[in-house]
Amino acid sequence: MKIAVLVSGGGTNLQAIIDAIADGSITNTEICLVYSNNPNAYALERAEKAGIKAVAKSPKEFPSRQEFNEALLQILKDAEPDLVVLAGCLVVIPDIVVREYQNRIINIHPSLIPSFCGTGFYGLKVHEKVLERGVRVSGATVHFVDEGTDTGPIILQKPVMIRQDDTPEVLQRRIMEQAEWKILPKAIDLIANGKVRVEGNKVVIDGYDDIF
Ligand code: GRF
């Protein structure tokens, strides 16, 4: 299975995918493209070090959003991925891309959807709101991307207990380490091996009850 990974920042989730392919915990998968809207994203350096084709194109380089959206679709089509992975991608994925890759785009979100998600909930903001609300558990979610924001069918989730001395930064790091970097590679491996299918607004995974 060929995957295109879309990034905007540090790329630790991309690195987790690269490492999981290298150590065999993701099988039957190769990264055919890394795309970033941010030419300064450290994720691009990670791709280069791993010998993966990387493309950086910012919406600012285009006269209109529509022209950026069409360029993004073409960048993906040229790479011919079977699966598109949003790994810390802060660009709104246009409907023309979502339609082209129906149920073939997955996203990692740093909370237990449907809590603390949707417009405005990204990066550190998610963890600030979690601590503000005083919940005892958060975590991460991998879901298929549909036309909404963080509203597609849920594939995997992993809880992380919150400590009373947590800051947003400490919580973000723990959720990355204990949840994101585990369930994103796992979801990719399951999809790559034909174990995942969407039924209505739900995901069915072969052997799910024995995974964790
Ligand atoms: C992660 O917290 C991810 O959940 C969110 O954006 C952050 C990206 O981190 N979508 P990285 O670029 O993968 O290090």
Side-chain angles (χ1 to χ4, degrees):
M1 177 174 80
K2 288 168 60 177
I3 66 173
V5 184
L6 279 53
V7 297
S8 296
T12 63
N13 278 284
L14 167 66
Q15 192 64 54
I17 298 168
I18 292 169
D19 295 348
I21 291 172
D23 72 19
S25 41
I26 294 180
T27 58
N28 194 25
T29 299
E30 64 159 314
I31 303 174
C32 61
L33 174 73
V34 169
Y35 160 82
S36 179
N37 60 303
N38 168 12
N40 304 314
Y42 185 65
L44 292 168
E45 286 193 39
R46 295 181 190 272
E48 211 170 306
K49 278 198 197 100
I52 299 166
K53 182 173 184 296
V55 170
K57 271 266 179 269
S58 162
K60 300 187 192 89
E61 298 175 44
F62 295 82
S64 73
R65 190 68 191 214
Q66 177 61 29
E67 282 163 280
F68 164 74
N69 291 347
E70 285 159 6
L72 177 60
L73 177 57
Q74 196 55 54
I75 286 167
L76 290 172
K77 280 181 161 179
D78 292 348
E80 297 178 322
D82 303 298
L83 180 72
V84 178
V85 179
L86 309 185
C89 178
L90 296 180
V91 163
V92 173
I93 303 303
D95 285 354
I96 53 172
V97 170
V98 174
R99 281 196 295 273
E100 179 74 23
Y101 294 97
Q102 189 77 29
N103 285 334
R104 291 196 292 148
I105 307 174
I106 65 174
N107 180 48
I108 176 83
H109 181 76
S111 77
L112 294 176
I113 289 175
S115 298
F116 304 103
C117 65
T119 309
F121 283 93
Y122 57 87
L124 215 49
K125 281 193 176 65
V126 173
H127 309 291
E128 287 165 359
K129 292 292 181 195
V130 159
L131 293 176
E132 210 175 285
R133 182 65 183 82
V135 294
R136 296 294 187 183
V137 183
S138 189
T141 302
V142 182
H143 63 94
F144 283 109
V145 171
D146 62 11
E147 278 84 354
T149 304
D150 303 330
T151 52
I154 290 171
I155 304 169
L156 293 175
Q157 295 189 297
K158 196 161 186 342
V160 172
M161 300 310 288
I162 291 169
R163 296 169 48 90
Q164 291 190 138
D165 60 356
D166 269 342
T167 64
E169 291 76 7
V170 167
L171 178 58
Q172 177 178 54
R173 184 74 192 181
R174 188 157 72 254
I175 287 179
M176 282 174 154
E177 286 170 354
Q178 295 184 8
E180 297 181 35
W181 300 344
K182 301 217 182 307
I183 61 174
L184 185 55
K186 186 71 186 169
I188 292 168
D189 184 57
L190 288 166
I191 294 169
N193 290 285
K195 296 195 171 10
V196 176
R197 61 184 181 281
V198 178
E199 289 182 3
N201 71 336
K202 296 242 185 359
V203 172
V204 176
I205 297 175
D206 298 342
Y208 175 79
D209 296 336
D210 309 318
I211 287 180
F212 293 105

